[in-house]
Amino acid sequence: MESTLLFIGNIGMGELFLLLLILGIPGILWIWAVVDLLSSKFANRTEKLIWLIVIAFLPFIGAILYLIIGRRQKIKPSNNWDQL
């Protein structure tokens, strides 16, 4: 039995692993950055819009920059337990 995937054009397991590594990790980082950005609150809408544009036009680099720098710009939710 041959270990090639005929429906993907004779790609072997090594090539498939490399393809998933090259496309999968940046894709996961991009999705993580977009979901985190859209579910977060910022001080103003302009910061959020700028990060959305950066992530959209520079997918891999923009996602990494947002995850390193942009997440610090989010508004932290207040802890209501301190007021009790």
Side-chain angles (χ1 to χ4, degrees):
M1 182 171 176
E2 195 172 323
S3 67
T4 58
L5 301 172
L6 298 175
F7 62 93
I8 303 182
N10 261 350
I11 293 178
M13 289 309 232
E15 291 91 359
L16 183 62
F17 177 73
L18 187 62
L19 185 65
L20 287 176
L21 186 69
I22 291 172
L23 297 177
I25 293 174
I28 290 170
L29 285 175
W30 186 80
I31 290 171
W32 179 20
V34 169
V35 168
D36 187 70
L37 175 71
L38 295 177
S39 64
S40 300
K41 293 189 181 209
F42 285 78
N44 57 31
R45 291 182 178 176
T46 307
E47 290 178 7
K48 193 171 190 175
L49 180 63
I50 290 171
W51 278 115
L52 185 62
I53 291 170
V54 168
I55 293 171
F57 286 111
L58 302 169
F60 184 61
I61 302 292
I64 290 174
L65 287 174
Y66 171 74
L67 292 173
I68 293 172
I69 300 168
R71 292 183 78 195
R72 287 188 250 154
Q73 297 174 351
K74 296 188 309 186
I75 296 175
K76 305 281 190 264
S78 64
N79 190 354
N80 291 336
W81 292 103
D82 295 337
Q83 298 174 357
L84 293 177

